[in-house]
């Protein structure tokens, strides 16, 4: 299955957190549920995980974010 992904990391400055949000869709732009999404901070090597919902959306928060992340998907 080919999966298209859109993800954004947006710093939440007031809390000092980085929030990564995105949506996983199939080639026909239908949302894909139950995809495991992991984000690993580059400098701290900390990994956090989330699963997509029925709408294909996910959110991962790093409370003390450093801004650079590697994101991986597993279905």
């Amino acid at each position: 299955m080919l999966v298209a992904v859109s993800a954004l990391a947006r710093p939440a400055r007031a809390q000092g957190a980085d929030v990564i949000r995105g949506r996983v869709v199939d080639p026909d732009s239908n949302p894909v549920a139950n995809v495991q999404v992991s984000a690993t901070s580059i400098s701290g090597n900390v990994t956090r995980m989330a699963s997509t919902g029925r709408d294909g959306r996910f959110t991962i928060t790093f409370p003390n974010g450093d801004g650079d992340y590697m994101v991986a998907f597993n279905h």
Side-chain angles (χ1 to χ4, degrees):
M1 169 193 297
L2 179 63
V3 176
V5 175
S6 171
L8 283 176
R10 295 194 183 200
R13 299 274 182 224
Q15 297 89 6
D18 285 344
V19 179
I20 302 170
R21 292 183 179 100
R23 185 172 188 227
V24 179
V25 298
D26 67 16
D28 295 321
S29 296
N30 298 309
V32 182
N34 301 315
V35 174
Q36 284 288 96
V37 183
S38 64
T40 303
S41 64
I42 300 298
S43 66
N45 199 32
V46 174
T47 300
R48 296 192 182 270
M49 302 179 83
S51 294
T52 58
R54 289 181 16 184
D55 60 358
R57 296 184 187 280
F58 67 91
T59 301
I60 300 174
T61 303
F62 284 83
N64 298 313
D66 62 17
D68 294 314
Y69 302 92
M70 182 177 310
V71 180
F73 304 87
N74 186 20
H75 188 270

Short mmCIF file of all heavy atoms in Angstrom, two decimals:
data_model
loop_
_atom_site.label_atom_id
_atom_site.label_comp_id
_atom_site.label_asym_id
_atom_site.label_seq_id
_atom_site.Cartn_x
_atom_site.Cartn_y
_atom_site.Cartn_z
N MET A 1 0.84 -1.16 0.00
CA MET A 1 0.00 0.00 0.00
C MET A 1 0.89 1.24 0.00
O MET A 1 1.80 1.36 0.80
CB MET A 1 -0.89 0.01 1.24
CG MET A 1 -1.58 1.34 1.42
SD MET A 1 -2.35 1.62 3.01
CE MET A 1 -3.56 0.35 3.04
N LEU A 2 0.65 2.12 -0.89
CA LEU A 2 1.34 3.40 -0.92
C LEU A 2 0.57 4.38 -0.05
O LEU A 2 -0.64 4.47 -0.12
CB LEU A 2 1.40 3.93 -2.36
CG LEU A 2 2.08 5.27 -2.54
CD1 LEU A 2 3.54 5.17 -2.13
CD2 LEU A 2 1.97 5.71 -3.99
N VAL A 3 1.30 5.08 0.79
CA VAL A 3 0.65 6.00 1.72
C VAL A 3 1.24 7.39 1.55
O VAL A 3 2.45 7.55 1.50
CB VAL A 3 0.86 5.52 3.17
CG1 VAL A 3 0.28 6.51 4.15
CG2 VAL A 3 0.26 4.15 3.38
N ALA A 4 0.38 8.37 1.42
CA ALA A 4 0.82 9.77 1.39
C ALA A 4 0.65 10.34 2.78
O ALA A 4 -0.31 10.04 3.48
CB ALA A 4 -0.02 10.55 0.39
N VAL A 5 1.59 11.17 3.17
CA VAL A 5 1.56 11.71 4.52
C VAL A 5 1.82 13.20 4.50
O VAL A 5 2.62 13.69 3.72
CB VAL A 5 2.66 11.03 5.38
CG1 VAL A 5 2.72 11.66 6.75
CG2 VAL A 5 2.41 9.55 5.48
N SER A 6 1.12 13.87 5.36
CA SER A 6 1.37 15.29 5.59
C SER A 6 1.61 15.46 7.07
O SER A 6 0.80 15.04 7.88
CB SER A 6 0.14 16.10 5.15
OG SER A 6 0.28 17.43 5.55
N ALA A 7 2.74 16.02 7.44
CA ALA A 7 3.05 16.23 8.86
C ALA A 7 3.71 17.57 9.05
O ALA A 7 4.50 18.00 8.22
CB ALA A 7 3.97 15.12 9.37
N LEU A 8 3.36 18.23 10.13
CA LEU A 8 3.93 19.52 10.47
C LEU A 8 4.36 19.52 11.92
O LEU A 8 3.64 19.05 12.78
CB LEU A 8 2.88 20.63 10.32
CG LEU A 8 2.55 21.10 8.93
CD1 LEU A 8 1.43 22.14 9.00
CD2 LEU A 8 3.76 21.70 8.26
N ALA A 9 5.53 20.05 12.18
CA ALA A 9 5.95 20.28 13.56
C ALA A 9 5.79 21.77 13.83
O ALA A 9 6.35 22.59 13.12
CB ALA A 9 7.40 19.86 13.76
N ARG A 10 5.01 22.08 14.83
CA ARG A 10 4.79 23.48 15.18
C ARG A 10 5.16 23.68 16.63
O ARG A 10 4.62 23.01 17.50
CB ARG A 10 3.34 23.86 14.97
CG ARG A 10 2.98 23.78 13.52
CD ARG A 10 1.70 24.46 13.26
NE ARG A 10 1.40 24.28 11.85
CZ ARG A 10 0.58 25.03 11.20
NH1 ARG A 10 -0.04 25.99 11.79
NH2 ARG A 10 0.36 24.82 9.93
N PRO A 11 6.07 24.59 16.88
CA PRO A 11 6.42 24.83 18.28
C PRO A 11 5.30 25.55 19.01
O PRO A 11 4.72 26.49 18.51
CB PRO A 11 7.66 25.72 18.19
CG PRO A 11 7.67 26.29 16.82
CD PRO A 11 6.84 25.37 15.95
N ALA A 12 4.97 25.06 20.18
CA ALA A 12 4.02 25.73 21.06
C ALA A 12 4.86 26.49 22.07
O ALA A 12 5.20 26.00 23.12
CB ALA A 12 3.11 24.72 21.73
N ARG A 13 5.27 27.68 21.71
CA ARG A 13 6.27 28.45 22.45
C ARG A 13 5.93 28.68 23.92
O ARG A 13 6.79 28.63 24.76
CB ARG A 13 6.50 29.80 21.76
CG ARG A 13 7.02 29.66 20.36
CD ARG A 13 8.51 29.54 20.34
NE ARG A 13 8.94 29.46 18.96
CZ ARG A 13 9.83 28.61 18.52
NH1 ARG A 13 10.41 27.78 19.34
NH2 ARG A 13 10.18 28.60 17.26
N ALA A 14 4.68 28.93 24.22
CA ALA A 14 4.32 29.23 25.60
C ALA A 14 4.64 28.05 26.52
O ALA A 14 5.06 28.25 27.64
CB ALA A 14 2.84 29.58 25.70
N GLN A 15 4.46 26.84 26.05
CA GLN A 15 4.73 25.67 26.86
C GLN A 15 6.13 25.10 26.61
O GLN A 15 6.53 24.18 27.28
CB GLN A 15 3.70 24.56 26.56
CG GLN A 15 2.29 24.91 26.89
CD GLN A 15 1.57 25.59 25.74
OE1 GLN A 15 2.10 25.72 24.65
NE2 GLN A 15 0.38 26.08 26.00
N GLY A 16 6.85 25.57 25.62
CA GLY A 16 8.14 25.00 25.27
C GLY A 16 8.02 23.65 24.62
O GLY A 16 8.92 22.83 24.72
N ALA A 17 6.89 23.37 23.98
CA ALA A 17 6.63 22.05 23.39
C ALA A 17 6.62 22.14 21.87
O ALA A 17 6.33 23.18 21.30
CB ALA A 17 5.29 21.52 23.87
N ASP A 18 6.96 21.01 21.23
CA ASP A 18 6.78 20.85 19.79
C ASP A 18 5.63 19.88 19.59
O ASP A 18 5.55 18.86 20.26
CB ASP A 18 8.03 20.27 19.12
CG ASP A 18 9.15 21.29 18.99
OD1 ASP A 18 8.88 22.50 19.12
OD2 ASP A 18 10.29 20.86 18.75
N VAL A 19 4.74 20.22 18.66
CA VAL A 19 3.60 19.37 18.35
C VAL A 19 3.68 18.98 16.89
O VAL A 19 3.77 19.83 16.02
CB VAL A 19 2.26 20.10 18.63
CG1 VAL A 19 1.09 19.20 18.28
CG2 VAL A 19 2.19 20.55 20.08
N ILE A 20 3.68 17.67 16.63
CA ILE A 20 3.72 17.15 15.26
C ILE A 20 2.34 16.61 14.96
O ILE A 20 1.85 15.71 15.65
CB ILE A 20 4.77 16.04 15.11
CG1 ILE A 20 6.15 16.58 15.49
CG2 ILE A 20 4.77 15.49 13.70
CD1 ILE A 20 7.21 15.51 15.62
N ARG A 21 1.70 17.19 13.95
CA ARG A 21 0.36 16.75 13.54
C ARG A 21 0.42 16.35 12.08
O ARG A 21 1.16 16.94 11.30
CB ARG A 21 -0.64 17.89 13.68
CG ARG A 21 -0.92 18.30 15.08
CD ARG A 21 -1.99 19.39 15.11
NE ARG A 21 -2.28 19.78 16.47
CZ ARG A 21 -1.79 20.85 17.06
NH1 ARG A 21 -0.99 21.67 16.40
NH2 ARG A 21 -2.09 21.11 18.31
N GLY A 22 -0.41 15.40 11.71
CA GLY A 22 -0.44 15.00 10.32
C GLY A 22 -1.63 14.14 10.01
O GLY A 22 -2.47 13.85 10.87
N ARG A 23 -1.69 13.74 8.76
CA ARG A 23 -2.78 12.88 8.29
C ARG A 23 -2.21 11.89 7.30
O ARG A 23 -1.45 12.27 6.39
CB ARG A 23 -3.85 13.74 7.62
CG ARG A 23 -5.07 12.95 7.21
CD ARG A 23 -6.17 13.88 6.72
NE ARG A 23 -7.40 13.14 6.50
CZ ARG A 23 -8.13 13.25 5.43
NH1 ARG A 23 -7.80 14.11 4.46
NH2 ARG A 23 -9.22 12.53 5.29
N VAL A 24 -2.57 10.63 7.44
CA VAL A 24 -2.12 9.57 6.54
C VAL A 24 -3.29 9.20 5.63
O VAL A 24 -4.39 8.92 6.11
CB VAL A 24 -1.64 8.33 7.33
CG1 VAL A 24 -1.20 7.22 6.37
CG2 VAL A 24 -0.52 8.71 8.28
N VAL A 25 -3.04 9.23 4.33
CA VAL A 25 -4.07 8.90 3.34
C VAL A 25 -3.52 7.91 2.32
O VAL A 25 -2.32 7.80 2.13
CB VAL A 25 -4.60 10.16 2.61
CG1 VAL A 25 -5.27 11.12 3.58
CG2 VAL A 25 -3.49 10.86 1.85
N ASP A 26 -4.43 7.18 1.67
CA ASP A 26 -4.03 6.26 0.62
C ASP A 26 -3.91 7.02 -0.71
O ASP A 26 -4.16 8.23 -0.76
CB ASP A 26 -4.99 5.06 0.54
CG ASP A 26 -6.39 5.42 0.08
OD1 ASP A 26 -6.61 6.50 -0.49
OD2 ASP A 26 -7.29 4.58 0.28
N PRO A 27 -3.54 6.33 -1.80
CA PRO A 27 -3.37 7.02 -3.09
C PRO A 27 -4.62 7.73 -3.60
O PRO A 27 -4.53 8.66 -4.41
CB PRO A 27 -2.96 5.89 -4.04
CG PRO A 27 -2.32 4.88 -3.17
CD PRO A 27 -3.10 4.93 -1.88
N ASP A 28 -5.80 7.32 -3.11
CA ASP A 28 -7.05 7.97 -3.52
C ASP A 28 -7.49 9.05 -2.53
O ASP A 28 -8.64 9.50 -2.57
CB ASP A 28 -8.16 6.93 -3.67
CG ASP A 28 -7.86 5.94 -4.78
OD1 ASP A 28 -7.33 6.36 -5.83
OD2 ASP A 28 -8.13 4.73 -4.58
N SER A 29 -6.59 9.43 -1.62
CA SER A 29 -6.84 10.45 -0.59
C SER A 29 -7.84 10.03 0.48
O SER A 29 -8.42 10.88 1.16
CB SER A 29 -7.28 11.78 -1.24
OG SER A 29 -6.23 12.28 -2.03
N ASN A 30 -8.05 8.72 0.64
CA ASN A 30 -8.90 8.21 1.71
C ASN A 30 -8.05 8.08 2.98
O ASN A 30 -6.90 7.63 2.91
CB ASN A 30 -9.48 6.83 1.36
CG ASN A 30 -10.36 6.90 0.15
OD1 ASN A 30 -11.26 7.73 0.08
ND2 ASN A 30 -10.11 6.05 -0.82
N PRO A 31 -8.58 8.45 4.13
CA PRO A 31 -7.80 8.33 5.37
C PRO A 31 -7.48 6.88 5.70
O PRO A 31 -8.26 5.98 5.41
CB PRO A 31 -8.71 8.95 6.43
CG PRO A 31 -10.07 8.97 5.85
CD PRO A 31 -9.93 8.97 4.37
N VAL A 32 -6.30 6.67 6.30
CA VAL A 32 -5.87 5.33 6.69
C VAL A 32 -5.80 5.28 8.22
O VAL A 32 -5.04 6.03 8.84
CB VAL A 32 -4.49 4.98 6.08
CG1 VAL A 32 -4.09 3.55 6.48
CG2 VAL A 32 -4.52 5.12 4.57
N ALA A 33 -6.61 4.42 8.81
CA ALA A 33 -6.65 4.27 10.27
C ALA A 33 -5.62 3.26 10.75
O ALA A 33 -5.14 2.43 9.98
CB ALA A 33 -8.05 3.83 10.70
N ASN A 34 -5.29 3.34 12.02
CA ASN A 34 -4.43 2.37 12.70
C ASN A 34 -3.02 2.28 12.16
O ASN A 34 -2.41 1.21 12.16
CB ASN A 34 -5.08 0.99 12.72
CG ASN A 34 -6.40 1.00 13.41
OD1 ASN A 34 -6.54 1.59 14.49
ND2 ASN A 34 -7.40 0.40 12.81
N VAL A 35 -2.48 3.40 11.68
CA VAL A 35 -1.08 3.45 11.27
C VAL A 35 -0.28 3.88 12.49
O VAL A 35 -0.62 4.86 13.16
CB VAL A 35 -0.87 4.45 10.11
CG1 VAL A 35 0.62 4.59 9.79
CG2 VAL A 35 -1.64 4.02 8.88
N GLN A 36 0.78 3.13 12.81
CA GLN A 36 1.67 3.51 13.91
C GLN A 36 2.62 4.57 13.40
O GLN A 36 3.32 4.37 12.41
CB GLN A 36 2.47 2.31 14.39
CG GLN A 36 1.67 1.34 15.23
CD GLN A 36 1.38 1.93 16.59
OE1 GLN A 36 0.32 2.51 16.81
NE2 GLN A 36 2.30 1.81 17.49
N VAL A 37 2.65 5.71 14.07
CA VAL A 37 3.52 6.82 13.70
C VAL A 37 4.50 7.03 14.84
O VAL A 37 4.09 7.11 16.00
CB VAL A 37 2.71 8.11 13.47
CG1 VAL A 37 3.62 9.24 13.02
CG2 VAL A 37 1.59 7.89 12.46
N SER A 38 5.79 7.08 14.52
CA SER A 38 6.78 7.37 15.56
C SER A 38 7.59 8.58 15.13
O SER A 38 7.88 8.77 13.96
CB SER A 38 7.70 6.16 15.79
OG SER A 38 8.45 5.87 14.64
N ALA A 39 7.91 9.40 16.10
CA ALA A 39 8.76 10.57 15.87
C ALA A 39 9.91 10.49 16.85
O ALA A 39 9.70 10.26 18.05
CB ALA A 39 7.97 11.85 16.06
N THR A 40 11.12 10.66 16.34
CA THR A 40 12.32 10.60 17.17
C THR A 40 13.04 11.93 17.08
O THR A 40 13.31 12.43 15.98
CB THR A 40 13.26 9.47 16.70
OG1 THR A 40 12.54 8.24 16.74
CG2 THR A 40 14.48 9.37 17.59
N SER A 41 13.34 12.53 18.23
CA SER A 41 14.08 13.79 18.24
C SER A 41 15.52 13.50 17.82
O SER A 41 16.13 12.54 18.29
CB SER A 41 14.03 14.46 19.61
OG SER A 41 14.67 13.66 20.58
N ILE A 42 16.04 14.33 16.93
CA ILE A 42 17.38 14.11 16.40
C ILE A 42 18.43 14.31 17.49
O ILE A 42 19.30 13.47 17.69
CB ILE A 42 17.66 15.05 15.21
CG1 ILE A 42 16.65 14.81 14.08
CG2 ILE A 42 19.09 14.90 14.71
CD1 ILE A 42 16.68 13.43 13.47
N SER A 43 18.36 15.40 18.23
CA SER A 43 19.41 15.68 19.21
C SER A 43 19.29 14.85 20.48
O SER A 43 20.29 14.46 21.07
CB SER A 43 19.43 17.17 19.57
OG SER A 43 18.24 17.51 20.25
N GLY A 44 18.07 14.54 20.92
CA GLY A 44 17.89 13.82 22.18
C GLY A 44 17.65 12.33 22.02
O GLY A 44 17.66 11.59 23.00
N ASN A 45 17.39 11.88 20.79
CA ASN A 45 17.11 10.48 20.51
C ASN A 45 15.94 9.95 21.35
O ASN A 45 15.96 8.82 21.83
CB ASN A 45 18.35 9.61 20.68
CG ASN A 45 18.21 8.29 19.96
OD1 ASN A 45 17.56 8.20 18.92
ND2 ASN A 45 18.82 7.25 20.50
N VAL A 46 14.93 10.79 21.57
CA VAL A 46 13.73 10.40 22.30
C VAL A 46 12.64 10.08 21.29
O VAL A 46 12.40 10.87 20.37
CB VAL A 46 13.26 11.54 23.24
CG1 VAL A 46 11.93 11.20 23.89
CG2 VAL A 46 14.32 11.85 24.27
N THR A 47 11.98 8.93 21.45
CA THR A 47 10.93 8.52 20.52
C THR A 47 9.58 8.56 21.22
O THR A 47 9.44 8.08 22.34
CB THR A 47 11.20 7.10 19.99
OG1 THR A 47 12.45 7.10 19.31
CG2 THR A 47 10.10 6.65 19.04
N ARG A 48 8.61 9.12 20.51
CA ARG A 48 7.22 9.12 20.98
C ARG A 48 6.38 8.54 19.84
O ARG A 48 6.71 8.71 18.67
CB ARG A 48 6.75 10.51 21.34
CG ARG A 48 7.53 11.09 22.51
CD ARG A 48 6.87 12.33 23.04
NE ARG A 48 7.64 12.90 24.12
CZ ARG A 48 7.48 12.58 25.41
NH1 ARG A 48 6.57 11.72 25.76
NH2 ARG A 48 8.22 13.16 26.33
N MET A 49 5.26 7.88 20.22
CA MET A 49 4.44 7.21 19.22
C MET A 49 2.98 7.60 19.34
O MET A 49 2.52 8.01 20.40
CB MET A 49 4.59 5.70 19.36
CG MET A 49 6.02 5.23 19.21
SD MET A 49 6.18 3.46 19.39
CE MET A 49 5.76 2.97 17.74
N ALA A 50 2.27 7.43 18.22
CA ALA A 50 0.82 7.63 18.17
C ALA A 50 0.27 6.73 17.07
O ALA A 50 1.01 6.25 16.22
CB ALA A 50 0.49 9.09 17.88
N SER A 51 -1.03 6.52 17.09
CA SER A 51 -1.72 5.78 16.03
C SER A 51 -2.71 6.73 15.36
O SER A 51 -3.30 7.58 16.03
CB SER A 51 -2.48 4.59 16.60
OG SER A 51 -1.60 3.64 17.13
N THR A 52 -2.91 6.53 14.06
CA THR A 52 -3.90 7.34 13.37
C THR A 52 -5.30 6.89 13.75
O THR A 52 -5.55 5.72 13.99
CB THR A 52 -3.73 7.27 11.84
OG1 THR A 52 -3.86 5.91 11.42
CG2 THR A 52 -2.39 7.82 11.38
N GLY A 53 -6.21 7.85 13.79
CA GLY A 53 -7.60 7.55 14.06
C GLY A 53 -8.33 7.19 12.78
O GLY A 53 -7.73 7.06 11.71
N ARG A 54 -9.64 7.06 12.87
CA ARG A 54 -10.45 6.73 11.68
C ARG A 54 -10.30 7.77 10.58
O ARG A 54 -10.46 7.46 9.41
CB ARG A 54 -11.92 6.60 12.06
CG ARG A 54 -12.19 5.37 12.88
CD ARG A 54 -13.62 5.19 13.24
NE ARG A 54 -14.55 6.01 12.47
CZ ARG A 54 -15.83 6.08 12.66
NH1 ARG A 54 -16.37 5.39 13.62
NH2 ARG A 54 -16.59 6.84 11.92
N ASP A 55 -10.00 9.01 10.98
CA ASP A 55 -9.83 10.09 10.01
C ASP A 55 -8.41 10.18 9.46
O ASP A 55 -8.08 11.06 8.68
CB ASP A 55 -10.23 11.43 10.62
CG ASP A 55 -9.41 11.79 11.84
OD1 ASP A 55 -8.53 10.99 12.25
OD2 ASP A 55 -9.64 12.88 12.39
N GLY A 56 -7.52 9.25 9.88
CA GLY A 56 -6.14 9.22 9.41
C GLY A 56 -5.24 10.23 10.11
O GLY A 56 -4.06 10.32 9.79
N ARG A 57 -5.76 10.95 11.07
CA ARG A 57 -4.98 12.00 11.74
C ARG A 57 -4.26 11.48 12.98
O ARG A 57 -4.72 10.56 13.64
CB ARG A 57 -5.88 13.16 12.12
CG ARG A 57 -6.47 13.85 10.92
CD ARG A 57 -7.28 15.08 11.31
NE ARG A 57 -7.97 15.62 10.17
CZ ARG A 57 -7.42 16.41 9.25
NH1 ARG A 57 -6.16 16.75 9.37
NH2 ARG A 57 -8.13 16.86 8.25
N PHE A 58 -3.12 12.12 13.27
CA PHE A 58 -2.34 11.80 14.46
C PHE A 58 -1.74 13.08 15.03
O PHE A 58 -1.59 14.08 14.33
CB PHE A 58 -1.24 10.79 14.15
CG PHE A 58 -0.16 11.35 13.25
CD1 PHE A 58 0.96 11.97 13.79
CD2 PHE A 58 -0.29 11.27 11.87
CE1 PHE A 58 1.94 12.49 12.95
CE2 PHE A 58 0.69 11.79 11.04
CZ PHE A 58 1.81 12.40 11.59
N THR A 59 -1.39 13.02 16.31
CA THR A 59 -0.70 14.11 16.99
C THR A 59 0.34 13.51 17.93
O THR A 59 0.04 12.59 18.67
CB THR A 59 -1.67 14.97 17.82
OG1 THR A 59 -2.67 15.52 16.95
CG2 THR A 59 -0.94 16.10 18.54
N ILE A 60 1.56 14.04 17.86
CA ILE A 60 2.63 13.65 18.78
C ILE A 60 3.18 14.93 19.39
O ILE A 60 3.49 15.88 18.67
CB ILE A 60 3.74 12.87 18.06
CG1 ILE A 60 3.19 11.59 17.42
CG2 ILE A 60 4.90 12.56 19.01
CD1 ILE A 60 4.17 10.84 16.56
N THR A 61 3.32 14.93 20.72
CA THR A 61 3.82 16.11 21.42
C THR A 61 5.13 15.80 22.13
O THR A 61 5.25 14.77 22.79
CB THR A 61 2.78 16.60 22.45
OG1 THR A 61 1.56 16.85 21.77
CG2 THR A 61 3.24 17.86 23.15
N PHE A 62 6.08 16.70 21.98
CA PHE A 62 7.34 16.65 22.72
C PHE A 62 7.33 17.84 23.67
O PHE A 62 7.53 18.98 23.23
CB PHE A 62 8.54 16.72 21.77
CG PHE A 62 8.81 15.44 21.04
CD1 PHE A 62 8.12 15.13 19.89
CD2 PHE A 62 9.77 14.55 21.51
CE1 PHE A 62 8.36 13.95 19.20
CE2 PHE A 62 10.01 13.37 20.83
CZ PHE A 62 9.32 13.07 19.67
N PRO A 63 7.09 17.62 24.97
CA PRO A 63 6.96 18.72 25.92
C PRO A 63 8.16 19.67 25.94
O PRO A 63 7.99 20.87 26.07
CB PRO A 63 6.80 18.02 27.27
CG PRO A 63 6.25 16.69 26.93
CD PRO A 63 6.86 16.33 25.61
N ASN A 64 9.35 19.17 25.82
CA ASN A 64 10.56 20.01 25.81
C ASN A 64 11.23 19.87 24.45
O ASN A 64 12.38 19.46 24.35
CB ASN A 64 11.51 19.60 26.93
CG ASN A 64 10.88 19.80 28.29
OD1 ASN A 64 10.30 20.85 28.54
ND2 ASN A 64 10.95 18.80 29.13
N GLY A 65 10.50 20.21 23.40
CA GLY A 65 10.94 19.96 22.04
C GLY A 65 12.23 20.65 21.66
O GLY A 65 12.59 21.69 22.19
N ASP A 66 12.95 20.01 20.70
CA ASP A 66 14.18 20.60 20.20
C ASP A 66 14.09 20.97 18.72
O ASP A 66 15.02 21.50 18.15
CB ASP A 66 15.39 19.71 20.46
CG ASP A 66 15.30 18.36 19.78
OD1 ASP A 66 14.49 18.18 18.86
OD2 ASP A 66 16.06 17.46 20.17
N GLY A 67 12.95 20.67 18.07
CA GLY A 67 12.70 21.18 16.73
C GLY A 67 13.02 20.29 15.55
O GLY A 67 12.51 20.50 14.48
N ASP A 68 13.91 19.29 15.70
CA ASP A 68 14.27 18.43 14.57
C ASP A 68 13.90 16.99 14.89
O ASP A 68 14.33 16.44 15.92
CB ASP A 68 15.76 18.52 14.27
CG ASP A 68 16.17 19.89 13.79
OD1 ASP A 68 15.47 20.43 12.92
OD2 ASP A 68 17.17 20.42 14.29
N TYR A 69 13.12 16.38 13.97
CA TYR A 69 12.60 15.04 14.22
C TYR A 69 12.66 14.18 12.97
O TYR A 69 12.56 14.67 11.86
CB TYR A 69 11.12 15.12 14.67
CG TYR A 69 10.97 15.96 15.91
CD1 TYR A 69 10.70 17.31 15.80
CD2 TYR A 69 11.15 15.40 17.17
CE1 TYR A 69 10.61 18.10 16.93
CE2 TYR A 69 11.06 16.17 18.29
CZ TYR A 69 10.78 17.53 18.18
OH TYR A 69 10.70 18.31 19.30
N MET A 70 12.79 12.86 13.20
CA MET A 70 12.65 11.88 12.13
C MET A 70 11.32 11.18 12.39
O MET A 70 11.06 10.71 13.51
CB MET A 70 13.79 10.87 12.16
CG MET A 70 13.68 9.88 11.02
SD MET A 70 15.06 8.71 10.96
CE MET A 70 16.45 9.80 11.06
N VAL A 71 10.47 11.12 11.37
CA VAL A 71 9.13 10.53 11.52
C VAL A 71 9.06 9.26 10.67
O VAL A 71 9.50 9.25 9.52
CB VAL A 71 8.04 11.53 11.09
CG1 VAL A 71 6.65 10.92 11.23
CG2 VAL A 71 8.14 12.81 11.92
N ALA A 72 8.51 8.19 11.25
CA ALA A 72 8.37 6.91 10.55
C ALA A 72 6.93 6.42 10.70
O ALA A 72 6.24 6.74 11.66
CB ALA A 72 9.35 5.89 11.10
N PHE A 73 6.50 5.62 9.73
CA PHE A 73 5.13 5.10 9.69
C PHE A 73 5.17 3.60 9.47
O PHE A 73 5.97 3.10 8.69
CB PHE A 73 4.36 5.76 8.54
CG PHE A 73 4.36 7.26 8.64
CD1 PHE A 73 5.39 8.00 8.10
CD2 PHE A 73 3.34 7.91 9.30
CE1 PHE A 73 5.40 9.37 8.21
CE2 PHE A 73 3.34 9.29 9.41
CZ PHE A 73 4.37 10.02 8.86
N ASN A 74 4.28 2.88 10.17
CA ASN A 74 4.21 1.43 10.02
C ASN A 74 2.73 1.03 10.01
O ASN A 74 2.00 1.35 10.94
CB ASN A 74 4.95 0.75 11.17
CG ASN A 74 5.04 -0.75 10.99
OD1 ASN A 74 4.89 -1.26 9.88
ND2 ASN A 74 5.29 -1.44 12.07
N HIS A 75 2.33 0.33 8.97
CA HIS A 75 0.92 -0.09 8.87
C HIS A 75 0.85 -1.58 8.78
O HIS A 75 1.57 -2.25 8.20
CB HIS A 75 0.28 0.54 7.63
CG HIS A 75 -1.20 0.32 7.58
ND1 HIS A 75 -1.75 -0.76 6.98
CD2 HIS A 75 -2.23 1.03 8.08
CE1 HIS A 75 -3.08 -0.68 7.07
NE2 HIS A 75 -3.38 0.40 7.75
#
